[in-house]
Every structure is written in structure tokens, then in C-alpha cells.
Amino acid sequence: MFFIFGVNSDRKEIGSFGPVICGCCGRYGRYQVYMTYMCLSLFFIPVLKWGRKYYAETSCCQSLYELDPQAGRRLQRGEQTEIRPEELALIRRGGSSSGNAWQGWTDQPVVRYCPACGYETEEDFEYCPRCGRKLEKR
Ligand SMILES: [Zn+2]
Ligand SMILES: [Zn+2]
């Protein structure tokens, strides 16, 4: 006889909480809270779950936090409706790929220029495409 079993990681949405002022971008956002877990299934019926982890993602800039598991469980059971900052550990700061305006000051482009012909570029060139001199950073 065959056993059909599989191990999957699964994700369960818990809900959204907020509004909160985002610690990453300073705007109002909400936390989208979800749980991930490993699941062993036998004949497609889940029999064992383990490795539960809770995460909170902000809706404003998609910063990702790992949520304290006890707080996650309380949120799931509806015993707690707010997330306190000390229950969160930042995993990924959001917004960097979308290039939001608020971030511009941290991310000044490096301007390179050619001392020979005055060519300027924000591209990551080492040498001047016009005359071949080594570019200098401003
Ligand atoms: Zn944010
Ligand atoms: Zn040049």
C-alpha cells in the first residue's frame, strides 16, 4: 500500500490591524498580519503543523516584520487588537524598490564627471564615454 504524504509550507492570513504610523516611512499604514507554518499532510489531509511564525507587513511601504509569536497568537484569537512596537522585529525595510520621494535624501545619486571634457553622468561609468578619461566622483 502507498502512503501519499507531503510537507508544505503554508500561509494563513490573520487580518489587518491599525492604523499605525509606520516606523519606516512615517505615513499611516496598517499591519497585514499572517502566519506561516510547515504542514505534513497524509492523503492530502493535514496531520501535523509546526514551525509557526507570525509576520506583519505594512500596507504603506511593505516593510516586513517578524511578530512576537505570543502576540501573534493573541491577535489570532482576538484577545489583542493592537500591535505594540516592541513585539515587532524588522526583517525588511520596505519602499526601497519603488523609489519613494521621502527616500530621496538617503539615496543621492553619485554624479561622476570627466575632468578633461566636462562630461557628467549619474550612470556607474568608470571612464568617460566621450574621451576615455577616468571619471571622478563629485
Ligand atoms: Zn511604511
Ligand atoms: Zn571626457
Side-chain angles (χ1 to χ4, degrees):
M1 117 153 237
F2 290 102
F3 286 101
I4 303 170
F5 69 95
V7 176
N8 303 301
S9 67
D10 219 335
R11 174 177 155 150
K12 185 174 190 281
E13 302 295 328
I14 291 174
S16 88
F17 299 88
V20 289
I21 296 173
C22 177
C24 284
C25 70
R27 288 180 297 187
Y28 275 102
R30 297 178 72 80
Y31 289 120
Q32 300 291 334
V33 177
Y34 61 90
M35 175 182 83
T36 62
Y37 55 92
M38 301 298 289
C39 179
L40 174 76
S41 56
L42 197 60
F43 299 109
F44 309 107
I45 298 164
V47 289
L48 196 61
K49 288 179 187 176
W50 75 97
R52 280 177 210 212
K53 279 193 164 177
Y54 292 87
Y55 296 97
E57 193 177 278
T58 61
S59 59
C60 48
C61 61
Q62 277 76 50
S63 292
L64 185 66
Y65 294 88
E66 185 168 344
L67 182 64
D68 179 76
Q70 268 142 37
R73 237 164 275 153
R74 286 196 298 270
L75 291 169
Q76 199 173 14
R77 290 197 296 246
E79 293 168 8
Q80 184 179 335
T81 53
E82 274 172 36
I83 299 170
R84 288 186 288 271
E86 63 268 25
E87 291 162 348
L88 295 168
L90 186 65
I91 298 175
R92 187 190 69 213
R93 189 173 274 267
S96 53
S97 55
S98 55
N100 291 325
W102 60 270
Q103 243 199 344
W105 61 274
T106 56
D107 230 13
Q108 284 285 338
V110 177
V111 177
R112 290 163 196 263
Y113 71 99
C114 174
C117 71
Y119 179 86
E120 283 191 13
T121 180
E122 289 179 12
E123 301 289 331
D124 195 21
F125 292 152
E126 275 286 299
Y127 295 95
C128 176
R130 263 198 225 158
C131 69
R133 272 282 294 266
K134 200 167 172 33
L135 297 178
E136 290 180 21
K137 280 183 208 168
R138 181 155 295 169

